Amino acid sequence: MNYNYLMRSRSIRIARRWDKRPPRGGIAVVIDVMRFSTTLCALLAAGRRTVRVALGPAQLRGARGIERADVFSELRFACPGRRRDNSPHQALRSAGRDAPAYSTTTTGARAAFRSRSARRVLIGCFANFSALLRVLRRSRGAICLVPAASPTPHPGRVEDEACAAALKAALLGVSGAGPRAVAAVRASGRPAQFLRERPRWGKKDLPLCLGLDRWPHVPELRFPASSPGMARVRDAS
């Protein structure tokens, strides 16, 4: 099947101002390379059976199983669960498969919940680049790529935009888009900035965030009406 021809007939856009014009209908792909998207992929790679994304700390209060859960976030707040950083390295190395995992972050979680009017919400990054392409090529409807960092006032955070542009190019048949995007991010000042921002886990997280096709997992978020501000994560791969 000629997927490149089929993809050229579909709408593929990048929603840089998802805060003002969020995706509606079709498929939204939320991209937060450093580190929300990569951490969710790592949790699935670690075999976690229960993974949830919360809009913010308030939604974690009273969440099911929170007392025995691992909570992944760079935000500072009181929580009865075991606190982890928003770290893919910690996601791979933390407690067993049966412990629930919750994630809430500054940017990625917000972008995901702003995208909930899409028919499907997938999570993308460099770590699941090819797996995500396979899912998107099998799907139908418009595709909206959501680089989470785009509307936020953080100069130099180029990785989400680079990943979104590479995904769009690859969907349209451009070969080598993923490796070139990773190389461009590595050659920018962003890795050094990230290591300064994240002195504790940055050295272990960076190779995971910029490792192309590290895992075959594609997180998909479901937003049950019975639990506002909370999303369930399943593997769509």
Side-chain angles (χ1 to χ4, degrees):
M1 184 179 293
N2 189 337
Y3 284 111
N4 294 338
Y5 173 79
L6 293 175
M7 296 307 299
R8 290 190 190 104
S9 66
R10 294 170 63 179
S11 169
I12 305 172
R13 73 181 183 93
I14 299 176
R16 294 177 177 87
R17 292 312 308 261
W18 51 262
D19 55 332
K20 296 184 180 297
R21 295 182 294 277
R24 296 186 181 279
I27 301 172
V29 180
V30 175
I31 302 164
D32 187 346
V33 173
M34 297 180 184
R35 299 170 285 177
F36 171 75
S37 296
T38 309
T39 297
L40 289 184
C41 288
L43 286 168
L44 294 181
R48 290 288 181 134
R49 295 188 175 94
T50 302
V51 181
R52 301 283 187 266
V53 173
L55 176 59
Q59 283 72 32
L60 290 172
R61 299 189 187 99
R64 181 180 299 178
I66 191 66
E67 296 83 4
R68 61 186 183 89
D70 291 309
V71 179
F72 294 85
S73 180
E74 76 278 16
L75 302 171
R76 293 187 178 184
F77 57 92
C79 179
R82 289 180 295 272
R83 286 303 310 272
R84 312 288 187 184
D85 192 8
N86 174 28
S87 163
H89 173 76
Q90 284 198 302
L92 290 174
R93 299 292 186 266
S94 55
R97 296 180 178 183
D98 293 332
Y102 286 88
S103 170
T104 187
T105 68
T106 307
T107 307
R110 287 182 55 234
F113 277 88
R114 285 292 287 166
S115 301
R116 65 186 179 274
S117 293
R119 180 169 51 84
R120 298 178 71 185
V121 177
L122 306 178
I123 301 299
C125 53
F126 290 124
N128 71 346
F129 193 87
S130 292
L132 177 59
L133 287 175
R134 288 192 292 271
V135 172
L136 293 174
R137 285 167 177 156
R138 294 196 305 261
S139 66
R140 295 183 178 181
I143 296 171
C144 183
L145 304 168
V146 182
S150 288
T152 58
H154 299 298
R157 296 192 177 180
V158 299
E159 64 277 4
D160 297 349
E161 180 73 27
C163 187
L167 282 167
K168 182 174 181 178
L171 287 168
L172 295 175
V174 178
S175 62
R180 283 194 296 272
V182 171
V185 175
R186 288 186 181 278
S188 73
R190 179 56 174 142
Q193 180 190 37
F194 176 76
L195 293 175
R196 290 193 301 271
E197 293 171 346
R198 308 298 175 193
R200 185 171 184 185
W201 298 107
K203 287 185 178 180
K204 294 185 180 297
D205 287 341
L206 189 63
L208 299 175
C209 293
L210 296 183
L212 191 68
D213 295 333
R214 187 170 290 275
W215 299 303
H217 306 288
V218 179
E220 179 173 3
L221 272 56
R222 301 287 179 86
F223 301 88
S226 58
S227 302
M230 190 70 71
R232 299 171 182 167
V233 180
R234 76 176 194 97
D235 191 349
S237 59

